[in-house]
């Protein structure tokens, strides 16, 4: 699965049809054999239309402006927008002395 997704990301700019097919095969392998995809592989699929979204090519990625730090990902194929919240532990903490 991981090799197919990596190849799909590499081929997304050159041959988008091939990259869609490779991502579809990776997703099909995981469902057929009941293997859960790792989070890093799951986040390259749209949550609404289930199609492969290459970061920056057929999706738009923005940083949220609210008090909760998040990343907004918009699929250019179906128009769906969803957020990925950045946990507070990922930010730099100051040492209290």
């Amino acid at each position: 699965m991981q090799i197919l997704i990596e190849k799909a990301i590499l081929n997304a700019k050159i041959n988008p049809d091939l990259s869609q097919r490779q991502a579809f095969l990776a997703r099909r392998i995981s469902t057929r054999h009941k293997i859960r995809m790792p989070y890093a592989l799951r986040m390259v699929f749209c949550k609404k239309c289930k199609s492969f979204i290459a970061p920056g090519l057929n999706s738009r990625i923005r940083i949220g402006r609210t008090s909760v730090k998040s990343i907004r990902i918009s699929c250019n194929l179906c128009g769906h927008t969803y957020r990925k919240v950045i946990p507070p532990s990922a930010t730099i903490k100051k040492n209290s002395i």
Side-chain angles (χ1 to χ4, degrees), residues 11-12 18 25 39 50 63 68 70 73 85 88:
N11 290 331
L18 177 63
L25 288 174
Y39 179 75
K50 308 295 187 219
I63 296 175
V68 177
S70 65
I73 301 172
V85 177

Side-chain angles (χ1 to χ4, degrees), residues 1 4-5 10-11 16-18 20 29 33-34 48 51-53 62 64 71-73 87:
M1 289 186 305
L4 282 170
I5 296 293
L10 291 175
N11 290 331
D17 294 330
L18 177 63
Q20 286 288 339
I29 287 170
H33 297 289
K34 296 180 182 174
K48 185 176 181 184
S51 63
F52 171 69
I53 52 174
R62 299 285 187 256
I71 297 173
R72 290 182 295 146
I73 301 172

